[in-house]
Amino acid sequence: MLRDFRQGGPAAIAKVRKHQPAAYMKICALLVPKEMKLEHSGGVKAMTTEQIERGIELIKEMLAEREAEANAKVIEGEAMPSLPAPTAVNAKSS
């Protein structure tokens, strides 16, 4: 299946999406699990002090990156053509 998908999958999916949208949506729906079981595993109370401290460090790093991205200045410009090559000046014509 993987080999078939790699060889023609994206094109086949696009073709089905375009020409048979109902079949495409049915396939999409079949890919979603009908039931999903989630279990809570202790959360912060189960973490060691080191794990909590590392988690806080990671959150601070993510927030700093987000703030840096928000404050980044974008410089927009337009490329200018380069100047023409200088021409040789005839010294005898003076």
Side-chain angles (χ1 to χ4, degrees):
M1 290 283 278
L2 179 60
R3 184 176 46 230
D4 286 341
F5 178 78
R6 286 183 176 160
Q7 290 177 356
I13 290 170
K15 185 176 179 180
V16 171
R17 183 182 66 237
K18 183 176 181 181
H19 299 290
Q20 296 176 319
Y24 176 79
M25 291 308 300
K26 183 175 182 179
I27 292 168
C28 291
L30 291 171
L31 292 173
V32 178
K34 291 181 182 180
E35 209 176 292
M36 184 180 278
K37 185 176 181 181
L38 299 175
E39 293 181 19
H40 183 62
S41 62
V44 177
K45 291 181 181 179
M47 295 172 72
T48 65
T49 302
E50 292 80 18
Q51 290 172 324
I52 293 171
E53 289 172 351
R54 181 64 186 140
I56 291 170
E57 288 173 23
L58 290 171
I59 292 169
K60 285 180 179 179
E61 289 172 14
M62 287 188 281
L63 291 173
E65 286 177 18
R66 185 182 298 171
E67 186 175 335
E69 289 173 4
N71 294 330
K73 296 188 180 192
V74 177
I75 299 173
E76 294 186 22
E78 187 174 312
M80 299 292 292
S82 60
L83 296 173
T87 56
V89 178
N90 189 346
K92 293 182 184 179
S93 65
S94 299

